[in-house]
Amino acid sequence: SPDSPLWSLAQWLSSSPSRGELTPSLTPLMAPRRGLSLMNITNLHRLIIYDPELGHFYWRDTGERIVRLRFRIGPRLYSAHRLAWLYMTGSWPSAHIDHINGDRRDNRFCNLREATPSENAQNKSLYSNNTSGYPGVHWDRRAQLWRSQIRVQGRRVHLGRYSTPEEAYQAYLKGKAEYHTFQPVPRE
């Protein structure tokens, strides 16, 4: 209906190319990987609309919202957060894109930041097999104590052994503030 925001969006975009088409005369900004060229900013703007406030993508030809975290454009599959970065900055991220709040579905531009693999690991959630309930804390069977440790540049740093998981977690928090400058506070 004419009152629908998607209808007006579709009307505004009615002259756009279809989502599977790529303009062959445009060259990608980065070298091809695995034999397929990466999307460039010009083609991306021709095929997709990105709303940085909501983190939503829409097909330019239909106005239909794209709800998947990974979706196909032409022959290649793309991650939504990496396309959001390209859309807003005009270049592909050099390494990883970190979701600041840890929610992979939240692709608002204010929630995205470039990160090295080591920095991205600083923002991890608890592993599903964690038994202590705290990051960086596990039971040391040999010592019969709770052990606190943190990863720094891919290496484990031992922070001590403690009688309770709460004490070990306090040591982890102190170590995180010291070693993890990218994400010094664990996310909730």
Side-chain angles (χ1 to χ4, degrees), residues 4-16 49 59-64:
S4 163
L6 285 181
W7 181 84
S8 58
L9 184 64
Q11 287 296 104
W12 178 69
L13 302 168
S14 61
S15 63
S16 300
I49 296 170
W59 290 115
R60 192 173 281 279
D61 60 349
T62 64
E64 176 188 353

Side-chain angles (χ1 to χ4, degrees), residues 15-90:
S15 63
S16 300
S18 76
R19 63 186 86 155
E21 288 178 22
L22 297 179
T23 308
S25 61
L26 299 173
T27 56
L29 296 175
M30 285 182 65
R33 257 192 253 162
R34 291 184 292 234
L36 296 175
S37 297
L38 288 174
M39 176 64 59
N40 66 34
I41 188 68
T42 306
N43 277 331
L44 183 62
H45 280 276
R46 291 185 59 176
L47 297 171
I48 288 178
I49 296 170
Y50 170 65
D51 180 348
E53 299 291 319
L54 297 174
H56 296 165
F57 288 89
Y58 302 90
W59 290 115
R60 192 173 281 279
D61 60 349
T62 64
E64 176 188 353
R65 181 167 167 222
I66 304 167
V67 294
R68 299 185 60 88
L69 297 179
R70 291 174 52 95
F71 52 93
R72 188 168 302 284
I73 301 175
R76 193 175 177 106
L77 202 59
Y78 293 93
S79 295
H81 60 282
R82 294 182 70 80
L83 286 177
W85 191 266
L86 172 64
Y87 198 97
M88 295 301 291
T89 66

Side-chain angles (χ1 to χ4, degrees), residues 98-103 109-113 123 183 187:
D98 181 48
H99 290 82
I100 296 168
N101 67 5
D103 183 355
F109 189 67
C110 65
N111 187 45
L112 304 176
R113 61 183 170 185
N123 199 13
Q183 181 74 26
R187 61 182 165 88

Side-chain angles (χ1 to χ4, degrees), residues 121-164:
Q122 292 178 22
N123 199 13
K124 279 188 169 183
S125 59
L126 277 180
Y127 287 107
S128 60
N129 63 351
N130 180 297
T131 56
S132 70
Y134 299 104
V137 176
H138 69 273
W139 180 250
D140 186 337
R141 272 186 282 187
R142 282 193 294 170
Q144 294 292 296
L145 293 169
W146 292 96
R147 182 175 178 178
S148 180
Q149 66 184 23
I150 195 165
R151 282 202 172 269
V152 180
Q153 298 294 323
R155 295 181 175 225
R156 265 186 255 144
V157 176
H158 177 69
L159 300 172
R161 290 184 180 91
Y162 302 89
S163 56
T164 68

